[in-house]
Amino acid sequence: MKAITPVSIWTGGQTKTANNLELAIVHDNLESSATFYWQLLSVTTDADGNTNSEQLAQGNLTIDGPDYENWGSAQDVNDEAFSWAAGQLNLQLS
């Protein structure tokens, strides 16, 4: 999970604020493409120090072509995956 610059999302008849991007790989053919499952979350900490999260949006992204090739050669593939996904979703990592 990576913190993002907060974004407002309309969900369930309310405007809520997403402040984290969760990303998981659901498929990688190890040759030319991979699919990520993403979630935008509202993560808060209560007075007792308990962390709570609420999913506000979700979907899938597929990385392929030169983006996939560059991702595979990145020094830190996890950070590169988050950077790529944030760019696709028009988000800024914090």
Side-chain angles (χ1 to χ4, degrees), residues 11-93:
T11 181
Q14 299 177 31
T15 300
K16 297 188 177 185
T17 302
N19 56 10
N20 279 268
L21 171 63
E22 180 71 43
L23 194 63
I25 195 162
V26 294
H27 175 74
D28 186 346
N29 70 7
L30 302 175
E31 183 180 334
S32 61
S33 70
T35 301
F36 298 102
Y37 172 72
W38 61 268
Q39 300 177 77
L40 291 181
L41 304 172
S42 174
V43 178
T44 57
T45 304
D46 65 21
D48 295 326
N50 299 313
T51 301
N52 303 299
S53 64
E54 178 183 7
Q55 181 192 68
L56 303 179
Q58 56 86 32
N60 292 307
L61 291 169
T62 298
I63 186 171
D64 57 12
D67 288 339
Y68 181 84
E69 292 170 20
N70 293 336
W71 171 54
S73 63
Q75 190 167 6
D76 186 325
V77 294
N78 292 334
D79 282 343
E80 183 63 23
F82 275 98
S83 292
W84 178 84
Q88 296 299 303
L89 297 169
N90 199 29
L91 301 169
Q92 282 195 311
L93 298 176

